[in-house]
Amino acid sequence: MASILKTVLRRGWVKPLGIMARWLPGYLRVDFISAGLQSGILHYLNQGSATSKQVARHFGYDMTMIEGLESWLGVGVQIGELRLAHGRYSLRGRRIKTLLKPENDPIAAFFEEFTNLNHRLVMETPERLKSGEWFTLADADPDTVARTSRAGEPWLASAIGEVVPAEGAFRLVEVGCGSGAHIKTAAEINPRLTAQGIELQESAAAQARTNMAEWGLSDRVEIEVRDVLDREGDGTADLVTLHQNIYYFPVEEQSAVLRHLGTYLAPGSKLLVTTVVRDSGSGSVALDLWGAMTEGASRLPTPKELEDRLAAAGYADVGTQKLGPDGMYYAATGTWRG
C-alpha cells in the first residue's frame, strides 16, 4: 500500500484522482436517473421493492442477461439512489420519490433531455464542426421538449397575466403551443377567451388536444398542425404568443417571422414573446448550444436583440421585462401597427 501511494505521489496523480472522485458520481447519477426514468424502472420500484428477477420479468428482459441488470442496478446502489437489502432493490431517500411525483414531471424530463440531447451536443460538436454536420430538429424529441417547457410555467404565467384581460371576449393565437399549458393559463385568467394553438409536431399537438379535453377547454381551444408561415392570418386576434420558440427560427429570418405574425393580429393588438435569453446562467448554455448547432435554428437572443427584431418587424411600444429574480426568462411585447 505504501509503495502504491508513493507511486501516485511521484506521478502527481493525487489532485486529478480527487477531481475524478468528485465529478464521476454526479455524471453517473444523471445518466442513471435518466435511464431509470425512460425505462420505467424507477417508477416500478416506486411502487415497492423488487428482486432483479422480478424487474426483469416485469419489463420482459432477457433472463440470460440478469447479471447485466444487476450490475446496472448496482450503479444505483453505489451512487446512493437505490438500496439493496435481502436481495431486493428499492428507492433510497426522498430525492427520487420527489422527482417521480406527477407534478414534478417537467423537472424529470430535464434529466432525459440532458442525456438524450444535451450530452450529444457537448460530445459531438467538436467533430461536427470539422465535418460541417448540423444537428437537426429531429434530434430533439418533441414529447420531451413539450414536457421540459412546462418548467417555465411559473415565470411565463406572470407575463401572460400582463397581456390577457380578466374579462371580455378575447382571441388568442399561440404559435408552437406544445402541451397547451400556456393556453390553459390564459383561459383560466379570462373565461371568455378562445384560442387557436398552432403546432408543427403531430405528437405534441395530439398531447395538447388530450390536455384540452382533460381541462374542459375543447370547446374554447382549437389545435391545428401546420407551419405558421404557410399562410397569413385573418387579422382578428387580440394576442399572438410565442413561448420558448423564437430560437427555432434563424436570426436573419426572425424579424420577417414576427412581421408575418402581425397578419394574425387586429391593429393595436399585441404580440408576446417569452424566451430564455443568452448569458443568463448555466441553465441557458445548453439551449444556446442547441440553437447554434441545429440547422434552421439560432442562438438565444439578448433582451436588446429581441427589442430590435420586434421594432424591425413593425411593432410599436416595444419593451422587454425580466421574469423572475434570476433573469433567465424574459418577455418581449410589441403593439401591431397594422
Side-chain angles (χ1 to χ4, degrees), residues 11 70 152 159 170 199 233 251 283 299 325 330 338:
R11 295 186 178 183
E70 290 173 350
F170 194 83
E199 175 54 52
V251 169
R299 293 189 66 184
Y330 265 75

Side-chain angles (χ1 to χ4, degrees), residues 15-77:
K15 185 175 288 188
L17 283 171
I19 292 172
M20 185 178 71
R22 289 195 301 272
W23 289 356
L24 189 58
Y27 177 83
L28 288 173
R29 178 169 286 107
V30 172
D31 273 2
F32 178 82
I33 291 173
S34 176
L37 290 170
Q38 291 180 81
S39 65
I41 292 176
L42 293 180
H43 293 277
Y44 178 68
L45 293 178
N46 195 36
Q47 300 172 25
S49 65
T51 66
S52 58
K53 289 184 178 179
Q54 287 174 323
V55 173
R57 282 195 293 267
H58 179 81
F59 290 98
Y61 294 156
D62 187 336
M63 296 302 290
T64 65
M65 301 178 71
I66 193 70
E67 288 185 351
L69 173 61
E70 290 173 350
S71 293
W72 185 88
L73 292 167
V75 173
V77 174

Side-chain angles (χ1 to χ4, degrees), residues 78-98:
Q78 179 62 39
I79 63 176
E81 300 300 342
L82 298 183
R83 177 184 289 108
L84 174 60
H86 310 295
R88 302 182 69 85
Y89 296 89
S90 60
L91 301 183
R92 181 176 183 178
R94 284 184 266 181
R95 289 183 302 188
I96 292 294
K97 291 182 179 180
T98 298

Side-chain angles (χ1 to χ4, degrees), residues 181-202:
H182 303 307
I183 293 178
K184 176 176 180 281
T185 297
E188 289 174 342
I189 293 171
N190 186 332
R192 293 185 62 192
L193 177 144
T194 57
Q196 177 188 25
I198 301 174
E199 175 54 52
L200 197 59
Q201 302 285 347
E202 175 60 52

